[in-house]
Amino acid sequence: MKLLITGGAGYLGRELVRLADCEVVATYGRVPVPGGVPLDVRDRAAAEAVVRQVRPDVVIHTAYRQSDWRTTADGAANMAIAARGVRLVHVSSDAVFSGADSPYDEDAMPDPITPYGAAKAAAETAVGAIDPSAVIARTSLVVGGGSTQEAMVHAIASGQPGALFSDNIRCPIHVTDLASALLELARSAHAGIAHLAGPDALSRYEMGRLIAARDGLDPASLRTGSGPSDIRLDGARTQQLLATRIRGAREFLG
C-alpha cells in the first residue's frame, strides 16, 4: 500500500508517518518534512497534481487551519476531488457539534456553533457528497507526545495567563491510538462516519490535573475557568470495527 498523508508536518500527521508500515509520502504547507511534497490544499489544481504524481492507494487527509475556512473546508473538498478513485480517510472533529444533545453517536447530525466547527461540518458534507465510500473520522482532544493541550497545562502551571475550563467536557484520545485507528480504517472497507474518541469524558480542567500529576507539576497551580459545553463522542460502534484499543485518558495519563 502506498499512503499519502496531507498535513504531514502536523502533530497527527507526524504520528501517522511514524506508525505507517508501508510506503508513505507526506505533504506539508509551511514546514518542510523529509521526503515530503509541498502542497497548499486550497489549490485544487495543485492537489490533483500531487495525487497524480504520488499515485497513492490511500489518502489520509489531516490538513486544516483552525482560523482559515478555505484550508479547512475548501481544502477537504479539493482533496476529495483530487483523490476520486482512491481510498480516502478524512479527519474531522467533535467541533461539528454544539454540545446541546450529548452524547453524540455516529448517526448524530452536526450542529456547529463556532466558525471552526462550521468549516469542519462543511468539509464533512463535501467529502461525503464527492466520495460516499470515504471514511469521515471525527475525533476529540488529541493528547500525548507534546500536544497543544499539554503545552497549555505546562504554561499555566508556570504562571502564564490562562485557565482550564471546568465545565467543558470532551473525550480525549492519545495521538498514537488515533493514528493507529486511522491506519486501520484506511485498510478497511468501512464507509461513512467513524467516531475515534476515548471512553473517558473529562473536563479540560480534570485532564489538565492528570497531565500535571504525570509530569511532576502541582495540579493545584492550575486555574479554572468557565466555558460550558458537553461534547461527548460515543465511539462504541466504531470501536467494534477496530483491533486498536482506544484507551481512556485516565489510563494513558495515569
Side-chain angles (χ1 to χ4, degrees):
M1 182 173 79
K2 190 173 188 180
L3 175 62
L4 176 65
I5 298 170
T6 66
Y11 173 54
L12 175 58
R14 294 194 306 271
E15 187 68 0
L16 283 164
V17 170
R18 187 183 74 84
L19 289 183
D21 59 353
C22 61
E23 184 180 357
V24 178
V25 176
T27 75
Y28 62 88
R30 299 172 178 172
V31 181
V33 296
V37 176
L39 173 62
D40 182 346
V41 296
R42 297 172 297 181
D43 184 337
R44 181 177 299 174
E48 291 176 331
V50 166
V51 172
R52 285 196 304 269
Q53 172 190 340
V54 176
R55 301 180 64 184
D57 300 298
V58 178
V59 174
I60 300 181
H61 178 58
T62 77
Y64 76 99
R65 192 168 294 151
Q66 196 161 42
S67 60
D68 183 355
W69 178 281
R70 288 190 61 213
T71 297
T72 301
D74 297 354
N78 290 339
M79 286 309 305
I81 291 169
R84 277 181 296 194
V86 176
R87 175 69 166 157
L88 174 63
V89 178
H90 168 73
V91 180
S92 189
S93 167
D94 59 5
V96 301
F97 298 119
S98 68
D101 195 25
S102 192
Y104 296 93
D105 66 14
E106 291 87 346
D107 295 327
M109 295 300 294
D111 61 340
I113 57 174
T114 66
Y116 173 62
K120 278 294 194 182
E124 288 190 5
T125 298
V127 170
I130 294 164
D131 183 1
S133 68
V135 176
I136 296 171
R138 296 174 181 144
T139 192
S140 187
L141 298 180
V142 187
V143 186
S147 66
T148 56
Q149 310 300 323
E150 290 155 295
M152 183 185 301
V153 170
H154 280 249
I156 294 171
S158 70
Q160 295 183 36
L164 299 170
F165 296 150
S166 60
D167 48 6
N168 180 269
I169 310 300
R170 308 288 284 279
C171 294
I173 184 170
H174 195 283
V175 65
T176 300
D177 295 349
L178 175 57
S180 177
L182 289 169
L183 290 167
E184 211 179 325
L185 288 170
R187 295 179 181 274
S188 77
H190 181 69
I193 302 295
H195 278 187
L196 301 177
D200 294 342
L202 300 173
S203 71
R204 289 178 182 267
Y205 177 65
E206 290 173 309
M207 185 180 70
R209 289 181 64 88
L210 290 172
I211 292 169
R214 180 200 66 184
D215 294 348
L217 306 172
D218 181 8
S221 66
L222 301 178
R223 296 179 296 278
T224 62
S226 181
S229 179
D230 185 345
I231 305 178
R232 309 181 195 209
L233 288 188
D234 179 352
R237 190 189 313 169
T238 300
Q239 180 67 86
Q240 293 176 358
L241 303 173
L242 302 171
T244 299
R245 185 175 71 86
I246 298 177
R247 297 166 291 166
R250 292 187 179 90
E251 178 180 348
F252 66 74
L253 293 174

